[in-house]
Amino acid sequence: KKDVADANIFIGSLIFVQELADKVVEAVEPYRETMDAVCVFPSMPAVMRLNKIGSFTMASMGQSKNVMLDFMKKNKPSGTSFQDGMLKLVRTLPKVLKFLPGDKAKDARSFMMSLQYWLGGSPENIEALLLNLASTYVFESDLLTGEVVEPPTVIPDQGIWHPVAPRVFETNEEYIQWLRNEHAPTIGVDPNKAPVIGVVLQKSHINTKDDAHYVALIMEIEANGGLVLPIYTGSLDFSKPIEDYFFLNGRSVVDTTINLTGFALVGGPATQDHPKAIATLKKLNRPYLCAVPATFQTFEEWKDSELGLHPVQVALQVALPELDGAIEPIIFAGRDGVTGRSIPQSDRIETLAKRAIKWSNLSAKKNADKKVAITVFSFPPDKGNVGTAAYLNVFGSIFEALKTMKAEGYDLGAELPTDVEGLVDAVLHDKEASMASPTLNVAYSMSVAEYKELTPYAEDLEENWGPPPGQLNTDGQNLLVYGVRFGNVFIGVQPSFGYEGDPMRLLYAKSASPHHGFAAYYTYIEKVLEADAVLHFGTHGSLEFMPGKQVGMSGGCYPDRLIQSTPNLYYYAANNPSEATIAKRRSYANTISYLTPPAENAGLYKGLKEVGELISSYQGLRESRGASIVNSIVATARTCNLDKDVDLPSEDFDTAELTLDERDIIVGKVYSKIMEIESRLLPCGLHTVGVPPTAEEAIATLVNIASIDRPEDEIDGLPRILARSVGRDIEDIYRSANAGNLDDNLLSENIKEAIRAAVRASVERSTDAAGRVTEVNPMMASLGAVLGGGSPMLSALKKQGFDKVQDPDLEKLFGYLEFCLKQVVADNEMGALIEGLNGEYTLPGPGGDPIRNPLVLPTGKNMHALDPQAIPTIAACDCAKVMVDRLLERQVAEEGEYPESIAFVLWGTDNIKTYGESLAQVLWMVGVRPLPDSLGRVNQIEAIPLEELGRPRVDVVVTCSGVFRDLFINQMNLLDRAVKLVAELDEPLDQNFVRKHALEQAEEFGVSVRDAATRVFSNAAGSYSANVGLAIENGGWEGEQQLQEQFTSRKGFAFNADRPGILDDKADMFKSSLKKVDVTFQNLDSSEISLTDVSHYFDSDPTKVVGSLRTDGKKPSSFVADTTTANGQVRTLSETVRLDARTKLLNPKFYEGMLKSGYEGTREITKRLRNTMGWSATAGAVDNFVYEDANDVFIADEEMQKRLLETNPNAFRDMVTTFLEANGRGYWETSEENLDRLRQLYAEVDDKIEGL
């Protein structure tokens, strides 16, 4: 501010970060009138409005009419940025000057000349810019008449620039001639064999001679035997020089492209045109790497930061290029803190060059010569768990991949297994052996001497694991690489994290390094096998979660050290974009999405089915035999434990004493509960890569897509259309049905049946004899031709009793469903793998829930998250308000008062799928509204007045997953600013619990109220999870106290918006805040992943932690918001666990579907039992009947025992162990007979596994 106050002229450019823009305006605006000139080049509108050159201004920029802006809008090249508009304006200046008065024309000309000098960039140009402004606006006398102001000197607007070339080339024919005939012979590279790397540069760095980082990379590539085609442009549309220079006679002349600008391909930092970028890159069809120059921090700041890259830079220079399909965000240059010039990072540049050349080799090598390492995971490490991946039939998929690779000419050796079982046997060697004995097939035995020689960082691992070979993946002498080779293809088992050997490691606040066996595995792939590519198979392994910086790896970060120079292809579940993004950024993966199995209705079984049948008979006989049927309904509901969820009359009560309406209410409530179970979506079986869905599976997916309103596309869901046709509002029907109204429950059920019938009718038109959809016929075509009876969908709806619906009502929705069906069946999962191995570009696409966002389909895309600055959206804020209000209503109804504090858990994937719903819930809870800046990025907030809020501000404690921290650090900033904002408001303490608690903590810790308002916590940078899930999976935990200590020590790192580069260990503040929590709260947002499908949910649940910290001994209430259907619900945690157990673990439809997948299916069933026990350990949320019923299904039934034992004896042993452990830890009370059977079974299974 002092410098500005003393200045004659202010010059600014490319200010596109909101916080920076606000600071610049705040500093310059007070002095704008007194300065001689203010010259601002392309920046955010508020900064551009500061411009003042004589009478020329842009004061109305972004507001009302403005001649210059109108001209620019008309002349702006489509899809490009403000800067390109400016450049075009410079070239067409004479046209616009006719419309301006004389003095304005002179001043506008000065501005445009200044812009040209600025873009020229050389010291001579900058000198001329200053002299020009000084002589015209600063000195009124002719002090400068002796100086001749040089016209701008500029290199061509775009071209090919090589540091040792004699000139800038403007055609690629001339450059290639120089490269092949003059340059390549000089550096000793054979131009006929060398890979050609296309490099995209920024003109400004070449102009200003700030090009040391460019020169260093070009020289490094050449030193590694490659040739470089370096192109630049002064515009921010880098697709144009790619189109002009990377093609010759329509063919690509480069083998890999590296973008060094640090920006999205089209549009730079302000506005992007991703479709245009993708079209160019698809045409080029080569791997597209986007390396990052650290521009927002100095080299030293990056090196010292645990987080790595600055959050603003992650959003602009990593997240946005990923939307174009960019991979490998390697930092190749830093900024000098003194001069501001770019410093090349030699070890990063070496890594980047080697990786680019390895990617290039994939398109040059013959398939028969390529070596590929397929990596599978074993989690938790046990013989019964080899090939774990979310919802993926791993060995079935690998078998399909091997067949495809063989057909593509890969060398797979003489003997390939003939079926999946044979493949499993080849890898496991002996399925029944335990992990401890090295009877997993050993593919390679590495001596300690070889390991040390080939693994430069081996010594660094000794601090955590002692000298090699250590205890894991070893025979005591050598390090063992488990797996099997088929010719040039190696299938290996990734070693574990290493916790199972020493449970106390789970308590460490920061994660340990990989162990020697883990390092040896990747050393084998890179240095011994010399793989051309590694394929990680399924969601997910441990490589990308190894310690290191969050984004922008250094050479000391373990993911970087382990993967080295091997191109990494990674199959990731389409519904998990957040962890896929971690794999992209930390292990340099080119992700390939795979479909999760289609979700079907859970259905009813056993006693639940009987209740359903009794309710059906009640409808017809309610007047005559109603009371006796209701008595049977109540009794059967009790045997199904529905009395835990529905308020039923006592066992000896005769419902004949009730009125007809009162009986209807009981039946309505029971019906509502069993319909909730019946219609719960259930992913069926496991997905096999390369096998597209059947017509039945497509119907299941489309039914769910058809049930959702899509206001952004102006499409009503089918439930709303059908409700409207009977004169009702669908929200009213849901509300009434939830309250137990029998008629509305029946109507709601009828609507669901009608949707299934209509969607089935639409898909049947495209189903072939084999039950698959190969070609999609138009759904709404030739309506008139159906002999006036309307479409098949209309007929199906009329049969269900909805006779007032007409085809025009359906046209828009079924047109959309037709598009979705094409997406569902257009599978490219195997195609993308082969393209990746061919060194081609993988089309990018969003990850997430295919039902909420069908653009996730078809799978086989390089998956990305979303622009982190785009959330929460307005729609997400609306949904969040509904769920928060329901949660508070329920808590007030049960406790009689508002909670003072609520503990939230934020997940990365959930916030991508819902565009920030749970993030918006936290903001609404404290009474803060998120606001977008002038470019639409959500980075501002305002407090909602208490009168508008209509309730107190409720305090929050936010635990962010490690993945959320990595992806949404800008949103953690937003949350922390929101909490601090309301803590500093002068409001009554009974209306502002955030301030109330912050004042108490300020006194407790002797800090300011602002510092006491610390509520946003996560793991330390580079660490993930509370390790509670790991402890429960490995079984080695001592007691609940240990799990609670793990949670508070690992999750107690606080984010502070006032110091955004670091996460401080604030475990004491974390505990102090948790002590005040009345309610714990989580969200479920998709049918594929529920409470017992993964360990993440209980791993981060603080219910028992809060109970142990509270001084009044009161257990907090626990709620779960379920937005998996249009009819969103808030349930207690126990209700949700019961619903989950009834629809999955105890449901024949689920476990029979899983058992069809054999070995892997048995493991999936055991996993759900283990995760159920996790909820007992962390929240005490599991009813005894869940264990009892599970024991009846899987253990008491001898036929079932036999099936489980034969398919996967290790997983079955783990199941028996889990039952015994649940009893031993006091979570399950059962008969001695049951326990004896389990103990005997354990001994039998153990003997079988050990081969006795």
Side-chain angles (χ1 to χ4, degrees):
K1 284 183 184 175
K2 184 178 180 305
D3 290 342
V4 170
D6 299 341
N8 294 87
I9 298 171
F10 174 84
I11 298 175
S13 175
L14 291 180
I15 298 165
F16 285 111
V17 176
Q18 183 69 42
E19 286 169 61
L20 185 58
D22 292 344
K23 284 181 176 152
V24 169
V25 172
E26 185 189 328
V28 177
E29 202 162 41
Y31 303 102
R32 178 177 178 268
E33 293 309 316
T34 54
M35 280 192 202
D36 297 306
V38 177
C39 211
V40 179
F41 305 122
S43 293
M44 292 184 75
V47 190
M48 292 294 291
R49 288 199 286 273
L50 295 170
N51 265 305
K52 184 194 80 161
I53 297 177
S55 58
F56 170 80
T57 73
M58 290 195 177
S60 56
M61 169 115 195
Q63 296 172 345
S64 58
K65 280 188 73 64
N66 173 320
V67 176
M68 200 144 232
L69 225 67
D70 286 349
F71 173 82
M72 285 179 59
K73 278 180 189 155
K74 285 180 197 137
N75 291 277
K76 180 177 170 185
S78 64
T80 51
S81 70
F82 183 74
Q83 181 163 342
D84 287 339
M86 291 291 242
L87 288 166
K88 190 164 183 186
L89 186 53
V90 172
R91 292 184 210 111
T92 47
L93 201 53
K95 281 189 204 167
V96 78
L97 294 182
K98 314 192 267 222
F99 301 110
L100 296 174
D103 58 336
K104 280 203 173 162
K106 175 174 86 78
D107 295 329
R109 195 179 291 109
S110 287
F111 176 75
M112 289 301 162
M113 287 298 288
S114 300
L115 177 64
Q116 263 209 313
Y117 282 126
W118 181 257
L119 294 173
S122 65
E124 296 79 11
N125 275 309
I126 300 301
E127 185 184 351
L129 158 66
L130 294 172
L131 287 173
N132 194 32
L133 289 173
S135 62
T136 315
Y137 301 105
V138 181
F139 301 104
E140 290 176 13
S141 59
D142 291 342
L143 288 177
L144 293 171
T145 46
E147 296 280 354
V148 179
V149 179
E150 294 288 319
T153 52
V154 286
I155 59 173
D157 205 38
Q158 66 169 37
I160 305 174
W161 170 88
H162 190 291
V164 303
R167 61 192 168 87
V168 168
F169 295 93
E170 293 194 67
T171 70
N172 60 5
E173 289 97 331
E174 291 177 296
Y175 176 77
I176 289 167
Q177 206 172 346
W178 170 81
L179 187 70
R180 294 178 69 89
N181 301 339
E182 293 181 42
H183 186 58
T186 313
I187 58 172
V189 170
D190 180 349
N192 297 314
K193 291 184 181 165
V196 178
I197 314 291
V199 178
V200 182
L201 312 173
Q202 256 184 313
K203 182 186 174 194
S204 57
H205 282 283
I206 298 166
N207 274 343
T208 55
K209 311 278 192 296
D210 181 14
D211 55 16
H213 53 322
Y214 292 171
V215 175
L217 179 67
I218 291 167
M219 287 170 65
E220 185 66 36
I221 291 170
E222 291 177 349
N224 278 279
L227 293 173
V228 186
L229 203 169
I231 61 172
Y232 73 84
T233 175
S235 104
L236 288 174
D237 180 358
F238 300 104
S239 68
K240 188 173 185 312
I242 286 182
E243 297 267 9
D244 292 349
Y245 302 131
F246 283 1
F247 293 93
L248 197 55
N249 304 324
R251 288 172 62 99
S252 165
V253 291
V254 299
D255 300 303
T256 292
T257 302
I258 310 178
N259 181 348
L260 295 184
T261 67
F263 291 125
L265 194 68
V266 181
T271 51
Q272 296 78 38
D273 185 344
H274 299 296
K276 183 178 182 184
I278 291 165
T280 300
L281 292 166
K282 183 61 195 159
K283 184 175 159 192
L284 187 65
N285 204 21
R286 291 287 181 262
Y288 174 57
L289 283 58
C290 208
V292 184
T295 45
F296 285 81
Q297 64 208 120
T298 65
F299 166 63
E300 293 299 327
E301 285 168 341
W302 164 74
K303 202 173 76 175
D304 295 343
S305 165
E306 287 187 344
L307 297 175
L309 208 50
H310 189 284
V312 168
Q313 197 165 352
V314 173
L316 281 180
Q317 298 190 306
V318 179
L320 292 177
E322 282 171 351
L323 305 182
D324 295 338
I327 53 175
E328 315 230 351
I330 297 170
I331 294 198
F332 73 103
R335 215 166 31 79
D336 184 312
V338 181
T339 65
R341 292 179 77 78
S342 301
I343 311 172
Q345 303 303 316
S346 55
D347 81 303
R348 306 287 73 218
I349 281 175
E350 185 185 341
T351 297
L352 180 58
K354 281 184 174 161
R355 293 190 63 80
I357 284 174
K358 275 265 194 101
W359 274 111
S360 299
N361 291 342
L362 288 173
S363 55
K365 256 190 179 181
K366 289 196 179 86
N367 285 350
D369 299 333
K370 289 179 195 167
K371 292 180 179 169
V372 180
I374 296 176
T375 298
V376 299
F377 314 119
S378 177
F379 191 80
D382 179 290
K383 205 53 177 295
N385 289 326
V386 175
T388 34
Y391 287 117
L392 188 65
N393 180 342
V394 173
F395 285 111
S397 300
I398 292 175
F399 188 68
E400 292 296 322
L402 293 177
K403 287 195 296 193
T404 306
M405 288 170 77
K406 188 164 182 142
E408 292 285 329
Y410 285 82
D411 173 7
L412 288 155
E415 286 188 26
L416 202 58
T418 53
D419 57 18
V420 179
E421 279 295 308
L423 178 64
V424 174
D425 281 338
V427 176
L428 299 192
H429 203 44
D430 167 9
K431 258 197 307 192
E432 294 165 10
S434 74
M435 193 80 177
S437 60
T439 46
L440 268 180
N441 201 55
V442 176
Y444 188 76
S445 185
M446 187 181 289
S447 71
V448 170
E450 182 185 21
Y451 165 68
K452 282 182 160 176
E453 183 193 340
L454 298 180
T455 314
Y457 55 90
E459 213 169 285
D460 296 353
L461 311 185
E462 294 189 16
E463 181 193 346
N464 281 309
W465 302 98
Q471 306 295 312
L472 300 158
N473 292 67
T474 175
D475 57 7
Q477 300 292 311
N478 304 298
L479 288 143
L480 304 179
V481 177
Y482 293 123
V484 62
R485 269 188 80 164
F486 299 109
N488 281 340
V489 176
F490 162 67
I491 301 174
V493 181
Q494 186 189 68
S496 69
F497 254 120
Y499 291 116
E500 66 282 3
D502 179 4
M504 291 316 287
R505 287 181 187 281
L506 297 168
L507 287 164
Y508 297 169
K510 296 186 180 183
S511 300
S513 68
H515 57 79
H516 295 294
F518 202 100
Y521 180 83
Y522 283 95
T523 295
Y524 167 76
I525 288 174
E526 171 96 4
K527 306 268 178 71
V528 180
L529 180 67
E530 295 179 330
D532 293 287
V534 61
L535 168 61
H536 287 95
F537 223 101
T539 307
H540 60 74
S542 308
L543 169 68
E544 62 268 36
F545 295 103
M546 284 295 168
K549 296 183 188 300
Q550 267 176 227
V551 186
M553 301 289 104
S554 73
C557 296
Y558 284 106
D560 183 280
R561 285 174 152 185
L562 291 158
I563 196 66
Q564 299 172 75
S565 69
T566 312
N568 179 10
L569 297 163
Y570 207 142
Y571 271 127
Y572 237 90
N575 65 355
N576 193 346
S578 60
E579 289 180 320
T581 302
I582 305 287
K584 283 167 82 131
R585 294 177 186 175
R586 302 188 86 239
S587 66
Y588 312 141
N590 181 32
T591 56
I592 300 170
S593 60
Y594 64 83
L595 206 56
T596 46
E600 294 178 22
N601 282 49
L604 298 174
Y605 54 90
K606 300 181 184 166
L608 294 170
K609 194 172 179 191
E610 200 180 318
V611 174
E613 287 162 358
L614 284 166
I615 291 172
S616 295
S617 62
Y618 173 76
Q619 285 163 249
L621 303 167
R622 59 195 278 271
E623 304 276 357
S624 54
R625 293 185 44 227
S628 63
I629 297 173
V630 175
N631 287 341
S632 302
I633 289 171
V634 170
T636 314
R638 274 188 191 287
T639 61
C640 300
N641 297 288
L642 289 176
D643 54 322
K644 305 265 193 298
D645 301 276
V646 181
D647 197 7
L648 295 175
S650 61
E651 286 181 55
D652 50 4
F653 181 78
D654 184 357
T655 58
E657 295 173 27
L658 300 176
T659 65
L660 193 59
D661 286 350
E662 286 169 334
R663 284 199 293 268
D664 277 359
I665 287 171
I666 293 171
V667 175
K669 282 184 175 168
V670 173
Y671 190 57
S672 176
K673 179 50 67 177
I674 66 164
M675 282 303 107
E676 182 177 76
I677 296 167
E678 192 277 337
S679 61
R680 185 94 170 150
L681 294 174
L682 186 67
C684 286
L686 299 171
H687 176 67
T688 303
V689 167
V691 179
T694 62
E696 280 302 317
E697 290 167 339
I699 289 167
T701 302
L702 288 187
V703 162
N704 300 325
I705 292 173
S707 300
I708 296 178
D709 292 330
R710 298 178 194 276
E712 65 282 5
D713 298 314
E714 297 179 351
I715 296 172
D716 284 342
L718 207 42
R720 189 169 299 283
I721 294 170
L722 296 180
R724 197 184 298 132
S725 77
V726 296
R728 295 286 302 278
D729 176 63
I730 190 68
E731 313 296 344
D732 286 345
I733 296 172
Y734 288 151
R735 208 171 292 117
S736 169
N738 291 344
N741 181 298
L742 182 59
D743 291 339
D744 280 344
N745 266 300
L746 296 168
L747 175 57
S748 174
E749 197 47 34
N750 195 17
I751 287 173
K752 283 182 206 157
E753 292 300 328
I755 294 168
R756 285 177 208 167
V759 170
R760 178 174 297 284
S762 74
V763 175
E764 276 173 353
R765 303 184 62 168
S766 304
T767 307
D768 62 19
R772 293 192 179 272
V773 178
T774 40
E775 195 178 331
V776 177
N777 294 314
M779 290 184 179
M780 296 301 290
S782 59
L783 295 182
V786 193
L787 300 175
S791 66
M793 291 77 77
L794 194 66
S795 308
L797 291 173
K798 288 192 167 163
K799 276 184 196 156
Q800 290 288 330
F802 293 95
D803 47 13
K804 294 205 173 128
V805 182
Q806 296 303 318
D807 268 325
D809 303 331
L810 305 175
E811 200 156 348
K812 204 165 186 182
L813 173 64
F814 278 93
Y816 182 72
L817 291 180
E818 184 186 314
F819 156 76
C820 293
L821 181 58
K822 286 175 180 164
Q823 301 291 91
V824 169
V825 298
D827 156 65
N828 189 38
E829 294 171 359
M830 201 60 81
L833 171 61
I834 298 303
E835 288 157 17
L837 290 173
N838 287 343
E840 295 173 19
Y841 171 74
T842 308
L843 268 177
D849 179 357
I851 291 164
R852 283 176 191 254
N853 180 11
L855 294 178
V856 167
L857 306 168
T859 42
K861 290 180 183 154
N862 182 7
M863 208 185 346
H864 55 72
L866 38 73
D867 175 355
Q869 299 183 90
I871 67 169
T873 60
I874 293 168
C877 291
D878 292 344
C879 294
K881 181 181 181 305
V882 172
M883 295 321 282
V884 166
D885 290 350
R886 283 186 188 168
L887 167 67
L888 293 175
E889 276 166 25
R890 181 148 185 191
Q891 179 68 2
V892 170
E894 290 180 13
E895 297 293 328
E897 58 185 1
Y898 281 103
E900 290 199 8
S901 182
I902 294 186
F904 275 84
V905 183
L906 295 188
W907 300 102
T909 292
D910 297 13
N911 277 286
I912 293 170
K913 288 179 186 167
T914 63
Y915 297 94
E917 269 179 35
S918 52
L919 179 68
Q921 288 169 354
V922 178
L923 293 170
W924 180 246
M925 197 64 83
V926 298
V928 167
R929 187 179 285 122
L931 300 168
D933 66 14
S934 53
L935 292 175
R937 298 176 301 205
V938 183
N939 53 24
Q940 296 177 304
I941 48 171
E942 68 177 15
I944 299 164
L946 283 171
E947 306 78 67
E948 187 185 331
L949 195 60
R951 59 164 172 82
R953 299 186 195 280
V954 177
D955 199 0
V956 292
V957 184
V958 185
T959 310
C960 303
S961 73
V963 175
F964 184 93
R965 172 206 62 206
D966 286 6
L967 298 189
F968 295 117
I969 196 119
N970 295 295
Q971 271 57 32
M972 287 172 76
N973 189 325
L974 201 69
L975 291 174
D976 189 59
R977 280 163 47 209
V979 172
K980 287 177 166 43
L981 172 71
V982 297
E984 293 179 321
L985 293 174
D986 185 10
E987 292 176 339
L989 299 187
D990 63 346
Q991 291 300 303
N992 184 337
F993 298 133
V994 183
R995 180 167 177 78
K996 177 186 172 185
H997 297 155
L999 286 167
E1000 290 168 7
Q1001 287 169 303
E1003 197 171 319
E1004 181 186 349
F1005 291 104
V1007 295
S1008 67
V1009 169
R1010 189 171 179 81
D1011 283 343
T1014 296
R1015 298 287 184 274
V1016 183
F1017 298 89
S1018 187
N1019 295 79
S1023 294
Y1024 300 84
S1025 102
N1027 282 350
V1028 170
L1030 282 169
I1032 283 170
E1033 278 154 3
N1034 290 315
W1037 49 291
E1038 288 176 10
E1040 289 177 4
Q1041 187 62 33
Q1042 179 197 324
L1043 302 181
Q1044 290 161 22
E1045 279 171 26
Q1046 277 176 219
F1047 178 83
T1048 51
S1049 68
R1050 285 185 62 86
K1051 285 289 182 186
F1053 289 79
F1055 182 89
N1056 185 345
D1058 300 334
R1059 297 167 63 222
I1062 37 181
L1063 288 165
D1064 292 317
D1065 187 348
K1066 295 274 188 190
D1068 289 346
M1069 182 69 83
F1070 188 38
K1071 288 179 188 171
S1072 165
S1073 300
L1074 286 169
K1075 197 185 285 185
K1076 299 170 175 58
V1077 163
D1078 300 308
V1079 175
T1080 63
F1081 183 62
Q1082 295 213 46
N1083 283 275
L1084 287 177
D1085 59 76
S1086 81
S1087 55
E1088 298 126 326
I1089 300 175
S1090 190
L1091 291 186
T1092 59
D1093 293 317
V1094 290
S1095 59
H1096 302 58
Y1097 287 115
F1098 72 74
D1099 180 272
S1100 282
D1101 186 82
T1103 304
K1104 279 193 176 174
V1105 178
V1106 171
S1108 70
L1109 290 171
R1110 283 186 69 112
T1111 48
D1112 59 6
K1114 188 179 163 200
K1115 189 184 168 190
S1117 309
S1118 288
F1119 291 106
V1120 177
D1122 180 346
T1123 56
T1124 55
T1125 64
N1127 181 16
Q1129 302 277 347
V1130 172
R1131 300 187 185 93
T1132 65
L1133 178 56
S1134 296
E1135 279 174 335
T1136 313
V1137 171
R1138 285 195 290 274
L1139 180 60
D1140 218 41
R1142 285 168 175 148
T1143 50
K1144 289 192 175 151
L1145 184 65
L1146 305 175
N1147 185 354
K1149 192 168 185 177
F1150 172 78
Y1151 57 73
E1152 291 296 345
M1154 282 298 172
L1155 283 170
K1156 281 180 193 154
S1157 300
Y1159 168 81
E1160 297 179 14
T1162 303
R1163 179 183 65 222
E1164 289 292 321
I1165 296 166
T1166 298
K1167 182 172 94 177
R1168 285 182 178 68
L1169 180 67
R1170 238 312 129 199
N1171 289 342
T1172 301
M1173 190 178 77
W1175 284 109
S1176 289
T1178 60
V1182 187
D1183 292 281
N1184 203 66
F1185 83 82
V1186 173
Y1187 294 112
E1188 198 68 24
D1189 288 4
N1191 179 71
D1192 290 347
V1193 171
F1194 301 111
I1195 305 296
D1197 180 340
E1198 287 191 18
E1199 190 55 40
M1200 177 61 82
Q1201 266 184 40
K1202 198 169 149 205
R1203 287 169 71 191
L1204 296 167
L1205 184 61
E1206 282 169 4
T1207 51
N1208 190 333
N1210 284 75
F1212 183 54
R1213 175 172 63 181
D1214 190 25
M1215 178 186 281
V1216 173
T1217 309
T1218 305
F1219 277 117
L1220 288 168
E1221 191 180 342
N1223 171 260
R1225 293 189 186 274
Y1227 303 144
W1228 174 39
E1229 286 179 29
T1230 190
S1231 67
E1232 206 49 47
E1233 180 193 347
N1234 278 340
L1235 294 172
D1236 285 344
R1237 184 194 296 117
L1238 284 162
R1239 292 183 197 112
Q1240 191 181 336
L1241 256 180
Y1242 183 86
E1244 285 170 19
V1245 182
D1246 213 35
D1247 288 350
K1248 185 171 167 54
I1249 287 172
E1250 300 303 333
L1252 298 174

